[in-house]
Amino acid sequence: MNLSYGTFDALIVGRRYYDGHTQTGEDIELYREPRNPYDVNAIAVYSLGGQMLGHLPRWLAKVLAP
């Protein structure tokens, strides 16, 4: 498992499909989803409590994904 820490501003897309909630400035966790059927670069966004919040925008995931 690789851990990285940092800060950046980004919108979370697809929030309407998930029940998780977050507020501006709240810490979150990001997980790559290389098997995502819609985007091989997908990066899922989770709250620290483990609730799925959505995904990073496709353009940003493409830049961040190795």
Side-chain angles (χ1 to χ4, degrees):
M1 174 195 312
N2 294 326
L3 295 176
S4 297
Y5 299 93
T7 302
F8 64 92
D9 293 327
L11 294 176
I12 299 172
V13 298
R15 292 183 67 120
R16 66 178 175 251
Y17 300 110
Y18 305 99
D19 293 331
H21 300 283
T22 188
Q23 295 183 5
T24 301
E26 184 176 333
D27 291 338
I28 48 99
E29 296 179 320
L30 304 176
Y31 293 96
R32 293 276 324 276
E33 291 186 332
R35 293 188 179 110
N36 184 302
Y38 303 104
D39 183 3
V40 297
N41 296 314
I43 299 177
V45 180
Y46 284 84
S47 71
L48 294 183
Q51 288 186 308
M52 177 74 161
L53 302 172
H55 289 86
L56 292 183
R58 187 181 299 258
W59 69 268
L60 181 56
K62 185 176 181 180
V63 171
L64 296 175

